[in-house]
């Protein structure tokens, strides 16, 4: 039976989107393609992510659909690099001979399987064995052949440079437009305000002269803002009008009406005319101002992400045969030895080989204090070496580093959409056509009511200009972009927009005990000898069996046995019983059982000393029984102390309105003792790993919205079952993969912080949506002349354009307040 090909994911940067209507149109166009399973478009980040079936569609068709929808696209940075292959940009080639020369240089390297150079694209595709040749060797061969290396792909720095250039271009356009707008606006406002003007600037005396002056001053402004008309017309042509379409229709109508009037005066058919040239100039200039301010605000919204990207150093100090030389960070590979001096950033994830120092990981984990590092300790790329000289061996590079994964998670969350934004998306899909309809109806209604043509044009233009679908489209993504970026700075990684929305609805929090409430490093604190056995003998028998286990309690027994220099005997037939203990044959003779009371009862049916076990459990110590050939030798008391911050964090969680419970496989007395220390009343003890998910499910069936916090492999099913799974960052990769939220600093207090951050983000999203809906709901009737019909003021197109620009900027500005979140 053939299996269905797995779905692929691709990310694209989209150029040309201006409002939520653009997002809706793009999602509809691409989403209708056969083979596309899911699409998400984010207006704030200008990115589109698509999950599709490779057997039904390829990226070329997706790009084609984007272009048919009226937008431009470029591939994103999400694609995974192919195994043992590299695409290198080669500059300086002029003919086929150059291409052949580069191919020969690459193929001459031992370990290169194939090398193909494309002169047209100036790229070299190289297949190579990374065990025999390094990427830096490939680059070196190209340089030695007499050519230069170009950037193979747009990096985060390249993207920032491009965005910066775009903002500078917008600013320049705005300033030039303002130079032509200012005199036209001064003439218009001066006349309206009754200020004394020279006779030659009197419209009543010289309407033709002023008309031509108005036209000469407005044309450069319209030309500078031509992108508005090009994009607006393209969107109309493709059947998905956007904000630029509204501006284009409104200002074109005003421009043509004024030009028609000027032509009549020039031909002598009229003595004067109503000019909207100043209004057109003002609308376009304010539009350019609004887009510039919005671009600046969006740029600020991404500062947290840029701060993460800036953590990656550009070069690394590579050690080769004892000699140190700088290399680009792209050339660092797994297994390389790197030297990190005091004050430098760690270039890649790795393990300390030599040296001792204190390392600042605050930008990655939120932990403010530097952490002592020595031989064997793990280093995170992007952290800062504060004191000593360190040598590390790279274990993860490029897209595999913790920093890269953090960036990827944050980007993925920023691309997502919270369910609360679905209403805005639906409204945005019909918004622009509805506004055009409202403008037309209002104009016809006033025309039928006997209003003049100039008045009708003013109403028509004002309605089109004041509408702001952009604020609807930015309401959710702007808040998510700022909030998730701020969370990443605090060591809180929210992996999806859906999880963000779910967090603030939680009413129940389940905490795993070991490694979550406690430090996760149990220690042997007491040994109780029975049957005249010595403590050393008990340790020797127990540790001999625990050699085959990775359980935290087993590791504690092994550490104590090594400290006491107890003999470790050979074992065979090892069997671990999850949630109970382990058994094995020691010295091929003795049947040794180590575990809890249930382990003793199930095996040889050994009677345990309940009084001793109760005493240890009441002190928060886990009793580990040791029996040899059915004879009980004694028990070992193992304690895992609560983290210093656990009690305060749990108090805060309860103050925030959450019901907090603890689930653990430990004996009930032990679990309850730990629970008393940290202030938890609801204890689910003696729960087997496979049953943790059942505990979550039972609570959910009772109507509760549950979050599960854990750090181990056995927590993964419960993390998936929970409404929100929260992984402690120091835990296993499996738990972090299964979770919706990752706490990089392994602090339980960050759960409360994440909850408050989620609530702040959702509050901001709702404020933005309320403002966007309220603004449009009030603005459209006012622009249509409803107040004027009852004796109120009439809204001019210039004031409408100012209100429109303020609306979208205010939404992003409100989202930027999340950058100050600290609690």
């Amino acid at each position: 039976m053939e299996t269905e090909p797995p779905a692929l994911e691709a990310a694209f940067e989209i150029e040309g989107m201006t409002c939520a209507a653009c997002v809706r149109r793009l999602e509809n166009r691409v989403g209708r393609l056969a083979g596309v399973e899911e699409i998400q478009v984010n207006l704030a980040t200008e990115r589109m992510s698509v999950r599709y079936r490779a057997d039904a569609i390829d990226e070329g068709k997706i790009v084609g659909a984007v272009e048919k929808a009226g937008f431009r696209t470029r591939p994103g940075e999400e694609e995974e690099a192919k195994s043992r292959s590299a695409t290198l940009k080669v500059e300086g080639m002029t003919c086929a001979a150059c291409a052949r020369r580069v191919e020969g240089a690459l193929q001459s390297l031992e370990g290169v399987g194939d090398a193909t150079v494309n002169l047209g694209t100036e790229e070299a595709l190289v297949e190579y064995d990374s065990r025999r040749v390094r990427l830096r060797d490939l680059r070196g061969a190209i340089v030695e052949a007499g050519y230069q290396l170009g950037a193979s792909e747009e990096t985060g720095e390249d993207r920032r440079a491009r965005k910066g250039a775009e903002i500078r271009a917008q600013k320049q356009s705005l300033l030039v437009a303002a130079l032509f707008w200012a005199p036209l606006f001064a003439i218009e406002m001066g006349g309206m305000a009754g200020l004394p003007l020279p006779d030659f600037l009197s419209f009543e005396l010289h309407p033709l002269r002023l008309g031509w002056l108005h036209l000469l001053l407005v044309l450069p402004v319209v030309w500078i803002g031509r992108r508005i008309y090009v994009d607006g017309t393209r969107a109309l042509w493709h059947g998905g009008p956007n904000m630029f379409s509204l501006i284009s229709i409104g200002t074109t109508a005003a421009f043509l009406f004024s030009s028609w009037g000027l032509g009549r005066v020039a031909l002598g058919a009229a003595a004067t005319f109503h000019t909207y040239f100043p209004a057109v100039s003002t609308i376009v200039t304010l539009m350019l101002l609004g887009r510039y301010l919005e671009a600046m605000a969006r740029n600020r919204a991404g500062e947290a992400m840029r701060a993460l990207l800036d953590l990656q150093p550009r070069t690394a100090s590579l050690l080769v045969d004892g000699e140190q030389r700088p290399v680009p960070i792209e050339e660092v590979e797994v297994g390389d030895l790197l030297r990190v001096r005091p004050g430098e950033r760690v270039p890649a994830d790795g393990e300390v080989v030599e040296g001792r120092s204190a390392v600042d990981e605050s930008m990655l984990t939120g932990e403010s204090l530097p952490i002592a590092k020595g031989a064997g300790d793990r280093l995170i790329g992007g952290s800062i070496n504060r004191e000593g000289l360190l040598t590390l061996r790279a274990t993860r590079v490029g897209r595999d580093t913790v920093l890269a994964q953090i960036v990827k998670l944050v980007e993925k969350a920023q691309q997502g959409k919270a369910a609360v934004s679905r209403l805005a998306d639906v409204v945005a899909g019909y918004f622009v056509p509805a506004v055009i309809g409202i403008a037309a109806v209002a104009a016809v209604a006033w025309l039928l009511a006997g209003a003049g043509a100039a008045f009708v044009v003013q109403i028509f233009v004002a309605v089109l200009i004041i509408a702001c679908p952009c604020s609807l489209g930015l309401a959710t993504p702007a808040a998510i972009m700022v909030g998730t970026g701020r969370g990443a700075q605090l060591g809180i990684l929210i992996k999806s927009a859906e999880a963000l929305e779910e967090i603030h609805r939680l009413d129940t929090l389940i905490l795993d005990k070991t490694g979550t409430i406690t430090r996760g490093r149990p220690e042997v604190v007491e040994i109780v000898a029975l049957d005249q056995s010595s403590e050393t003998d008990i340790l020797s028998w127990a540790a001999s069996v625990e050699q085959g286990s990775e359980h935290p309690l087993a590791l504690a027994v092994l550490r104590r046995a090594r400290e006491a220099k107890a003999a470790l005997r050979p074992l065979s037939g090892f069997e671990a019983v999850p949630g109970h203990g382990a058994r094995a044959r020691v010295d091929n003779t003795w049947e040794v059982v180590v575990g809890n009371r249930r382990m003793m009862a199930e095996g040889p049916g050994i009677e345990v000393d309940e009084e001793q076990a109760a005493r240890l459990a009441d002190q928060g110590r886990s009793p580990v029984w040791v029996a040899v050939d059915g004879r009980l030798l004694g028990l070992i008391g193992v304690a895992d102390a609560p983290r210093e911050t656990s009690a305060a964090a749990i108090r805060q969680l309860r103050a925030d309105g959450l019901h907090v419970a603890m689930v653990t496989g430990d004996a009930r007395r032990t679990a309850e003792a730990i629970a008393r220390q940290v202030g938890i009343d609801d204890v689910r003890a003696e729960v087997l790993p496979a049953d943790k998910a059942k505990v979550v499910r039972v609570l959910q069936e009772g109507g509760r919205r549950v979050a599960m916090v854990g750090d181990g492999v056995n927590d993964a099913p419960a993390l998936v079952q929970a409404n929100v799974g929260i992984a402690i960052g120091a835990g296993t990769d499996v738990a972090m993969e299964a979770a919706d939220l990752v706490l990089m600093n392994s602090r339980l207090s960050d759960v409360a912080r994440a909850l408050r951050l989620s609530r702040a983000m959702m509050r901001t999203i709702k404020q933005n949506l309320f403002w966007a809906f309220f603004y449009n709901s009030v603005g459209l009737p006012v622009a249509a002349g409803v107040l004027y019909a009852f004796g109120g003021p009439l809204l001019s197109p210039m004031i409408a354009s100012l209100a429109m620009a303020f609306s979208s900027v205010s939404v992003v500005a409100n989202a930027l307040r999340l950058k100050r979140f600290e609690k």
Side-chain angles (χ1 to χ4, degrees):
M1 179 179 178
E2 294 186 4
T3 59
E4 183 175 310
L8 302 179
E9 290 189 5
F12 304 87
E13 290 188 16
I14 306 298
E15 297 178 353
M17 293 192 299
T18 59
C19 62
C22 299
V23 174
R24 183 74 172 178
R25 183 169 83 251
L26 189 56
E27 288 182 337
N28 286 339
R29 284 294 180 96
V30 178
R32 287 200 299 263
L33 295 175
V36 172
E37 296 184 348
E38 182 179 353
I39 174 175
Q40 291 183 336
V41 181
N42 189 302
L43 178 63
T45 60
E46 298 178 314
R47 289 170 70 84
M48 175 183 75
S49 61
V50 183
R51 189 168 74 240
Y52 64 95
R53 296 196 317 275
D55 61 325
I57 192 172
D58 57 24
E59 290 187 19
K61 293 181 180 178
I62 295 174
V63 170
V66 172
E67 293 175 349
K68 287 180 180 179
F71 304 101
R72 296 169 297 281
T73 181
R74 67 177 68 207
E77 298 181 311
E78 299 286 340
E79 295 185 16
E80 297 292 331
K82 293 182 179 179
S83 176
R84 294 189 300 278
S85 71
T87 301
L88 305 174
K89 199 78 173 177
V90 184
E91 297 177 349
M93 296 188 298
T94 59
C95 62
C98 297
R100 293 281 296 175
R101 179 179 175 85
V102 175
E103 284 181 354
L106 292 169
Q107 290 172 350
S108 66
L109 297 175
E110 183 180 359
V112 173
D114 189 26
T116 304
V117 178
N118 187 313
L119 180 63
T121 60
E122 295 187 320
E123 289 182 340
L125 177 61
V126 189
E127 303 288 339
Y128 68 102
D129 185 350
S130 61
R131 296 169 299 179
R132 301 168 63 191
V133 64
R134 294 293 193 177
L135 185 60
R136 54 181 168 268
D137 298 327
L138 305 180
R139 294 173 178 270
I142 294 174
V143 173
E144 288 178 6
Y147 301 92
Q148 298 82 45
L149 290 164
S152 298
E153 59 181 13
E154 186 182 49
T155 63
E157 185 177 2
D158 295 333
R159 185 189 302 173
R160 292 196 297 276
R162 179 168 55 82
K163 290 293 184 184
E166 290 175 359
I167 290 175
R168 288 192 295 273
Q170 285 181 300
K171 182 179 180 180
Q172 184 177 3
S173 297
L174 173 63
L175 292 176
V176 175
L179 289 177
F180 290 94
W181 162 79
L184 184 55
F185 183 76
I187 294 171
E188 179 74 4
M189 288 296 102
M192 292 176 62
L195 298 176
L197 296 172
D199 286 344
F200 71 89
L201 292 180
S202 172
F203 191 81
E204 288 75 13
L205 296 177
H206 306 286
L208 184 59
R209 181 187 302 169
L210 263 296
W212 286 116
L213 178 61
H214 283 189
L215 182 61
L216 289 175
L217 288 175
V218 77
L219 282 175
V221 177
V222 172
W223 173 253
I224 292 169
R226 62 190 179 278
R227 172 74 179 273
I228 297 171
Y229 297 93
V230 172
D231 288 352
T233 303
R234 182 189 295 117
L236 275 173
W237 179 259
H238 290 286
N242 58 17
M243 181 174 64
F244 281 174
S245 302
L246 297 178
I247 303 297
S248 300
I249 295 171
T251 56
T252 298
F255 184 89
L256 292 177
F257 179 78
S258 301
S259 298
W260 174 73
L262 177 60
R264 294 187 71 225
V265 172
L267 294 174
T272 187
F273 73 103
H274 196 100
T275 176
Y276 279 114
F277 289 135
V280 172
S281 178
T282 301
I283 291 167
V284 174
T285 302
L286 284 174
M287 185 68 186
L288 294 173
L289 173 63
R291 300 303 290 173
Y292 170 69
L293 294 176
E294 183 183 321
M296 291 288 291
R298 288 197 204 183
N299 197 47
R300 288 182 60 202
E303 284 179 359
M305 178 62 74
R306 287 193 295 278
L308 288 174
L309 292 171
D310 288 339
L311 295 181
Q312 178 68 61
R314 302 288 176 258
T315 61
S317 296
L318 178 69
L319 287 177
V320 179
D321 298 329
E323 294 185 3
Q324 181 177 317
R325 62 185 176 91
V327 296
I329 195 65
E330 294 83 6
E331 295 187 10
V332 175
E333 299 191 54
V334 173
D336 283 346
L337 290 177
L338 306 173
R339 182 69 54 82
V340 188
R341 292 185 291 268
E344 291 183 340
R345 290 195 179 275
V346 177
D349 292 358
E351 183 178 292
V352 178
V353 175
E354 182 181 350
R356 298 190 64 83
S357 182
V359 177
D360 181 0
E361 298 179 348
S362 58
M363 280 298 291
L364 291 165
T365 66
E367 175 56 62
S368 58
L369 297 176
I371 301 171
K373 300 287 185 178
D377 288 335
R378 185 179 67 132
L379 288 176
I380 302 176
S383 55
I384 302 174
N385 180 22
R386 289 296 186 192
E387 298 175 0
L389 185 66
L390 292 176
T391 301
L392 74 142
R393 187 182 306 279
T395 56
R396 292 182 179 180
V397 298
R399 289 185 173 92
D400 296 327
T401 63
V402 170
L403 175 59
Q405 293 301 312
I406 290 174
V407 171
K408 186 176 180 180
L409 286 176
V410 176
E411 285 185 339
K412 187 173 182 180
Q414 291 180 347
Q415 290 171 4
K417 289 183 178 179
V420 72
S421 69
R422 303 299 178 189
L423 176 61
D425 289 344
V426 173
V427 171
Y430 301 99
F431 184 79
V432 176
V435 170
I436 296 174
I438 291 171
V441 169
V444 171
W446 281 107
L447 191 62
L448 294 176
F455 182 88
V456 171
V457 169
Q458 180 172 340
I459 290 291
F460 181 72
V461 173
V463 172
L464 293 175
I465 298 302
I466 200 170
C468 190
C470 192
S471 59
L472 287 171
L474 287 172
T476 299
I480 291 176
M481 183 164 64
V482 179
T484 53
R486 181 57 184 152
Q489 287 182 321
L490 298 172
I492 301 169
L493 302 184
I494 301 172
K495 294 171 63 175
S496 69
E498 292 79 5
L500 159 69
E501 186 168 16
E502 191 66 34
I503 293 170
H504 87 287
R505 297 174 178 168
L506 297 173
D507 53 39
T508 303
L509 188 70
I510 297 179
L511 304 176
D512 175 50
K513 181 181 77 69
T514 305
T516 302
I517 296 175
T518 63
R519 296 173 181 171
R521 185 181 170 87
E523 300 291 344
V524 174
V525 294
E526 184 177 354
I527 300 174
V528 179
L530 304 172
D531 196 24
Q532 299 182 348
S533 298
S534 68
E535 292 186 6
T536 304
D537 285 342
I538 295 172
L539 271 177
S540 177
W541 288 113
S544 296
V545 173
E546 301 290 26
Q547 291 178 90
S549 176
E550 291 294 326
H551 193 279
L553 297 185
L555 297 179
V557 171
L558 279 169
R559 283 194 299 271
R560 179 60 179 272
R562 292 190 180 101
E563 292 170 1
K565 297 182 178 180
L568 296 182
R569 309 177 188 185
L571 78 160
S572 60
F574 175 83
E575 178 190 359
V577 182
H580 292 65
R583 61 167 58 90
R585 184 166 292 277
V586 177
D587 285 336
N588 288 322
T589 304
W590 312 97
E591 188 71 30
V592 183
V593 180
V594 179
N596 57 22
R597 174 167 51 87
R598 285 178 293 179
M599 187 71 182
M600 296 295 119
E602 287 181 6
I606 301 170
E607 291 291 332
V608 299
D609 189 333
E610 295 288 356
E611 184 177 345
Q612 291 282 11
R615 179 182 62 81
L616 289 175
D618 287 340
Q619 297 173 350
R621 300 171 180 177
S622 298
V624 178
W625 298 95
V626 183
V628 178
D629 280 350
R631 182 170 59 94
L632 192 65
L633 298 187
L635 74 162
I636 301 172
V638 183
D640 184 10
R643 297 176 187 267
E644 292 80 358
T645 60
S646 291
I650 290 168
R651 282 197 301 273
Q652 182 61 59
L653 289 165
R654 296 179 67 174
D656 287 338
L658 289 180
H659 172 76
V660 182
M662 182 176 75
V663 60
T664 178
D666 279 357
R668 175 161 297 278
R669 285 177 178 268
T670 304
E672 289 177 344
I674 296 294
R676 283 195 299 271
Q677 295 178 45
V678 297
I680 295 178
D681 300 325
D682 187 354
V683 180
R684 314 294 174 97
E686 301 178 4
V687 178
L688 296 177
D691 293 334
K692 288 186 177 181
K694 293 181 182 178
V695 173
V696 176
R697 187 162 53 249
V698 168
L699 288 171
Q700 290 172 327
E701 290 170 352
R704 292 187 175 273
R705 307 187 77 88
V706 183
M708 172 70 193
V709 185
D711 73 330
V713 173
N714 58 8
D715 297 322
L719 292 173
V720 173
Q721 175 65 41
N723 296 86
V724 177
I726 303 175
I728 296 294
T732 66
D733 290 341
V734 175
M736 294 171 67
E737 184 67 27
D740 302 298
L741 188 147
V742 179
L743 307 180
M744 294 300 296
N745 200 42
S746 302
R747 290 183 304 210
L748 193 56
S749 57
D750 280 346
V751 177
R753 179 181 280 187
L755 177 67
R756 291 192 294 274
L757 175 61
S758 169
R759 289 175 175 173
M761 291 169 69
M762 291 307 303
R763 187 165 55 247
T764 301
I765 289 172
K766 290 176 180 178
Q767 289 169 351
N768 284 350
L769 287 173
F770 172 80
W771 165 251
F773 281 112
F774 175 79
Y775 164 82
N776 286 292
S777 299
V778 173
L780 287 172
V782 172
V786 172
L787 293 182
Y788 182 78
F790 293 95
L794 181 65
L795 188 68
S796 74
M798 289 187 287
I799 299 300
S801 63
L802 181 63
M804 180 271 297
F806 171 74
S807 176
S808 58
V809 172
S810 65
V811 166
V812 182
N814 187 45
L816 285 172
R817 295 187 303 114
L818 289 168
K819 291 176 63 179
R820 299 194 297 269
F821 178 87
E822 290 291 346
K823 294 182 179 180

